Amino acid sequence: MTDVALVEETVKRLASHKGVVGIAIVNGDGVPIRTTLDPELAVTYAALVSQLALKARHMVRELAEDGSDDLQFLRVRSKKHEIMIAPAFDRDHNYTLLVVQQPDAE
Amino acid sequence: MEVAYRYVKQRRQFGRQPHFTDQGAELLLDLRPNEEHAKAWIVKQQATAAVQAAPDMSEHEVNTVAVVSVPKGMAHVEGGWAKDDVEGLLRFRKKVEKDEDYIRTVVRLGTMVEDLVKQNNAIDIYEEYFADVPAQHLSQAPSTSTLTILRDPSGVRRGAQAISWQPDGSGRLAVAYSVLEFQRQPAGMPSTSHVWDVANPGAPEAALAAPSPLVTLGFNLKDQNLVGGGQYNGQFTFFDLRKGPSPVEATPVEHSHRDAVRSFAWTQSKTGSELMSASTDGSVLWWDLRRLGGEPLESLTLRERGAGEAGAVLGGTVVEYSPQAGPTKFMVGTEQGAVLAGNRKAKNPADRITAAYAGHHSAIYALSRSPFFPKFFLSVGDWTTRVWNEDLRTPIITSPYNAAHLTGGTWSPSRPGVCYTIGHSGALEVWDYYLKQRQASLTGGRADVALVHRPLASLALAPGAAPRLAGIGCTGGTVTVLQLSEGLVEQQDNEKAVISAMLERESSREKNLEKSAKEAKAKARKEAARTAEPLDGATDEELAQLEREFMEMIKQ
């Protein structure tokens, strides 16, 4: 079952967790495809996070001697939020799922 | 076999002794003077040449060219779509969402992230376990580090005479640039002062275009967009940062000071618009920003208490006002070295100066009431820093004489026992009375990047309960923003009680000394009175007796 409904289900499930502020799925060009955040904010997140993910990936690949290593996950902890960045780098497709969570939410 | 060679020489082979005898003179050569050569002879001109044994030395100063940094930002605009092309964007999204790869990826990533979200909710992995334990900073040596350097953009050498931080803690500071030396202002010197943002040291954030250079300035405490400034020509003026660089209003020349406004302070009032200013012309004026164009609210001429109209006028250099000590009380430091304390609302205008504290040898440059013990205040002048008790006429603590003149100082707002001083040595000195009294606990924070020590002119600590930033301005025009180490900012165990006890102890010592000095004086006076009395203690009766005896003797 490869359907848009699956994406919707995933997003809904994530959003139902405690403290989750928003979710955004971003393509390789930094364009938010599906988001629960405010559109303006989503664009900002998408642009900044995709750049950061790219930089981090370069670093990981540079460090790996044979180039076989790749970035799996990036967690950015700030005073207010935790941004979880899950990038997926395929041959031609490149998506990033980012979840903004407020960890100390009651 | 022994290797040996014997050399034998007989006596006669050494030769004979010389034998000297007299002999007649014998002409060997006769050189006659040559007349032709004598004609060619001329006197050579004298030339003086100096030779020095010490090595030659020369002094060079090199500084790298200042890097001017300009911060630039970039706004991200989504994708390549036109702003109103919502349809194109929607179509693209639809297309991507249909992509199987996309769905697979999102589902895979979703499960991964979900684990972490749950983890975050289950346990705080960044939890601080020992947050309650009080910090022990004393083990760490106090230090300062230079955060940034703000250079006067005018290009002319003007001193940074005063610094004021915006009270809301936004990291903005206003700096007054002027030259205080009489007739030493370079021709064409710009009179503009500037407001800086610490985060952007490359260029000033705003300009304060005063018609005459500012000598002192300060942010208003109530309306933080207002900056008051005292000008070199004696006028007081104020600026509104929202309205641009030109001054909003200035005091009229005929009612202003007749010399540079050296210091001013915002006084406590409902509107927060009242202030008092002091000048070296010897007057203190009270103003209201709303009626700046008229006459001052009140004025006072600085004279010693009880000196009357004929007394010498003292030039005011610094004003101290703090509401904790009393809303009507104020203090003025004078050029002559005395600190005058006053009460604005005294019944009799002549009694407005309530006390004078003498001791400094030259002008007072800074006065600061302790924020924890308002009865005690600090004065900085000549080469010393002195701590006074309001009730005593002599300082309770006098620092040892510094090698260089001191030009400013203040108490730390967060630590009762710490004060900062600056001077011509070009360094910020930190005195920690909690540790030691006789020596500065830290000398650091050179004001200039060059190795030349420029005299410092101004000092201001960032606002807030525990400021970590201090701005020091030097006469070369640069302002250095220093970051103070935690140990200098955070109160130590029991510090307030210890410092309080120390100040009380020093006060009582000074009190006892005063008392004993008074007693000694009284005793000396008594002694003097007694010795002045006539030495022969003959009474009238004795005199009468003597007279009678004398008369009898004559009769006989």
Side-chain angles (χ1 to χ4, degrees):
Chain A
M1 188 182 80
T2 48
D3 189 10
V4 185
L6 260 180
V7 174
E8 284 306 308
E9 196 199 309
T10 307
V11 170
K12 249 184 218 149
R13 201 171 64 236
L14 281 172
S16 69
H17 281 293
K18 199 177 79 175
V20 172
V21 176
I23 296 147
I25 301 158
V26 181
N27 81 346
D29 304 323
V31 177
I33 307 295
R34 171 78 175 85
T35 177
T36 64
L37 287 161
D38 184 58
E40 291 267 315
L41 193 63
V43 171
T44 319
Y45 263 114
L48 298 173
V49 161
S50 56
Q51 278 182 29
L52 178 67
L54 219 61
K55 270 260 151 62
R57 185 181 187 223
H58 275 304
M59 188 204 84
V60 169
R61 286 166 70 103
E62 201 72 23
L63 282 175
E65 277 156 16
D66 52 353
S68 63
D69 206 356
D70 207 343
L71 180 70
Q72 289 289 302
F73 205 86
L74 196 59
R75 293 174 80 163
V76 179
R77 181 78 167 207
S78 65
K79 257 188 215 164
K80 288 176 179 165
H81 295 131
E82 173 152 334
I83 308 168
M84 280 160 276
I85 303 159
F89 302 100
D90 285 343
R91 296 166 311 285
D92 43 345
H93 293 95
N94 179 351
Y95 297 108
T96 306
L97 174 69
L98 69 101
V99 176
V100 185
Q101 193 190 12
Q102 203 173 343
D104 51 355
E106 288 309 312
Chain B
M1 194 187 92
E2 195 182 342
V3 182
Y5 176 72
R6 180 179 284 187
Y7 180 84
V8 182
K9 202 177 182 185
Q10 286 181 329
R11 175 66 192 85
R12 61 189 157 88
Q13 283 175 317
F14 281 119
R16 304 241 176 112
Q17 74 273 26
H19 186 72
F20 298 106
T21 52
D22 279 338
Q23 208 176 12
E26 191 180 325
L27 185 75
L28 293 174
L29 179 71
D30 186 18
L31 254 177
R32 295 269 147 201
N34 188 335
E35 292 296 319
E36 301 236 322
H37 285 179
K39 272 177 201 158
W41 186 77
I42 49 166
V43 180
K44 196 184 169 189
Q45 290 251 288
Q46 263 189 6
T48 317
V51 173
Q52 173 137 270
D56 276 345
M57 281 199 260
S58 63
E59 191 183 329
H60 292 280
E61 210 178 290
V62 173
N63 206 347
T64 50
V65 179
V67 179
V68 178
S69 63
V70 180
K72 281 191 178 163
M74 209 163 139
H76 174 81
V77 182
E78 187 180 1
W81 292 282
K83 219 175 181 184
D84 46 355
D85 186 13
V86 184
E87 264 181 43
L89 179 59
L90 278 179
R91 217 175 307 130
F92 176 75
R93 281 201 178 134
K94 278 266 150 58
K95 202 182 97 203
V96 174
E97 282 182 345
K98 285 211 181 75
D99 185 4
E100 277 194 19
D101 215 19
Y102 163 76
I103 295 161
R104 256 204 318 277
T105 311
V106 169
V107 172
R108 183 169 63 81
L109 295 178
T111 48
M112 213 156 97
V113 175
E114 197 179 1
D115 278 349
L116 293 174
V117 172
K118 282 180 185 163
Q119 194 188 69
N120 268 346
N121 281 337
I123 182 170
D124 183 4
I125 60 170
Y126 299 98
E127 188 183 346
E128 177 83 58
Y129 285 117
F130 304 106
D132 312 336
V133 179
Q136 294 285 332
H137 294 302
L138 266 184
S139 53
Q140 195 185 352
S143 64
T144 61
S145 55
T146 303
L147 200 67
T148 183
I149 291 173
L150 310 172
R151 279 190 188 78
D152 179 10
S154 73
V156 180
R157 230 188 102 157
R158 309 183 289 174
Q161 301 295 356
I163 301 172
S164 172
W165 290 80
Q166 199 166 25
D168 63 0
S170 62
R172 264 191 245 158
L173 68 166
V175 184
Y177 296 102
S178 53
V179 175
L180 280 183
E181 284 90 353
F182 183 63
Q183 290 187 346
R184 283 288 179 80
Q185 285 146 333
M189 185 184 86
S191 60
T192 317
S193 291
H194 296 281
V195 178
W196 297 83
D197 189 342
V198 172
N200 177 16
E205 197 174 69
L208 307 172
S212 169
L214 292 181
V215 176
T216 176
L217 50 65
F219 275 99
N220 189 293
L221 305 175
K222 269 233 165 92
D223 185 347
Q224 313 205 332
N225 286 303
L226 298 185
V227 182
Q231 293 184 164
Y232 188 76
N233 67 355
Q235 283 176 292
F236 181 85
T237 181
F238 80 100
F239 304 85
D240 192 332
L241 294 183
R242 293 161 296 197
K243 286 185 186 162
S246 48
V248 180
E249 205 173 4
T251 57
V253 175
E254 62 270 29
H255 297 305
S256 300
H257 292 287
R258 276 145 191 77
D259 207 346
V261 181
R262 292 297 294 265
S263 176
F264 82 95
W266 300 101
T267 58
Q268 205 178 34
S269 63
K270 262 190 203 125
T271 52
S273 61
E274 288 184 22
L275 63 111
M276 58 185 291
S277 62
S279 161
T280 37
D281 69 352
S283 61
V284 175
L285 301 176
W286 278 265
W287 301 93
D288 190 336
L289 282 191
R290 293 166 299 174
R291 290 191 298 278
L292 216 53
E295 287 185 28
L297 300 179
E298 226 173 293
S299 70
L300 167 73
T301 306
L302 293 171
R303 284 194 177 91
E304 285 268 2
R305 178 174 156 73
E309 286 294 303
V313 176
L314 307 174
T317 49
V318 55
V319 171
E320 200 285 331
Y321 173 88
S322 54
Q324 292 127 293
T328 60
K329 278 167 110 179
F330 64 89
M331 283 195 298
V332 182
T334 62
E335 260 185 325
Q336 283 73 15
V339 179
L340 303 178
N343 191 340
R344 189 182 162 190
K345 290 279 183 287
K347 274 180 198 138
N348 187 346
D351 290 340
R352 279 186 297 185
I353 296 294
T354 51
Y357 306 91
H360 278 292
H361 307 300
S362 66
I364 310 269
Y365 285 107
L367 277 177
S368 169
R369 252 184 218 279
S370 168
F372 293 87
F373 315 106
K375 213 170 82 176
F376 298 92
F377 64 91
L378 176 94
S379 68
V380 178
D382 53 59
W383 303 268
T384 56
T385 311
R386 291 167 195 234
V387 179
W388 308 72
N389 182 337
E390 242 181 18
D391 306 333
L392 297 171
R393 296 291 170 269
T394 45
I396 57 169
I397 303 172
T398 304
S399 74
Y401 282 81
N402 201 305
H405 261 285
L406 296 180
T407 52
T410 181
W411 286 102
S412 161
S414 54
R415 284 196 54 190
V418 171
C419 60
Y420 303 94
T421 61
I422 53 166
H424 282 193
S425 66
L428 176 79
E429 286 194 353
V430 183
W431 291 78
D432 191 344
Y433 287 139
Y434 187 61
L435 285 180
K436 48 192 168 187
Q437 269 193 34
R438 306 303 301 168
Q439 201 187 346
S441 62
L442 171 71
T443 303
R446 296 262 170 244
D448 216 306
V449 275
L451 292 172
V452 187
H453 301 165
R454 297 235 190 274
L456 293 176
S458 50
L459 161 74
L461 297 173
R468 294 285 305 273
L469 298 181
I472 50 176
C474 74
T475 51
T478 54
V479 173
T480 309
V481 178
L482 297 174
Q483 181 143 33
L484 308 169
S485 70
E486 244 171 283
L488 291 175
V489 172
E490 268 166 37
Q491 219 179 98
Q492 309 293 338
D493 293 340
N494 216 13
E495 183 178 349
K496 201 172 167 187
V498 169
I499 297 299
S500 170
M502 185 197 82
L503 291 173
E504 288 303 332
R505 182 192 72 215
E506 294 298 325
S507 296
S508 66
R509 183 181 69 96
E510 231 16 84
K511 242 177 238 168
N512 288 338
L513 281 176
E514 204 171 285
K515 209 197 281 170
S516 70
K518 218 179 254 173
E519 270 169 18
K521 218 188 229 171
K523 205 171 162 195
R525 206 184 297 132
K526 221 183 254 170
E527 194 82 14
R530 215 182 53 203
T531 46
E533 275 175 24
L535 271 176
D536 61 325
T539 59
D540 288 349
E541 267 177 47
E542 279 170 334
L543 282 176
Q545 173 77 26
L546 275 174
E547 203 176 329
R548 257 199 316 276
E549 279 175 15
F550 174 71
M551 288 303 191
E552 275 170 27
M553 268 157 91
I554 291 174
K555 272 178 199 166
Q556 281 170 8

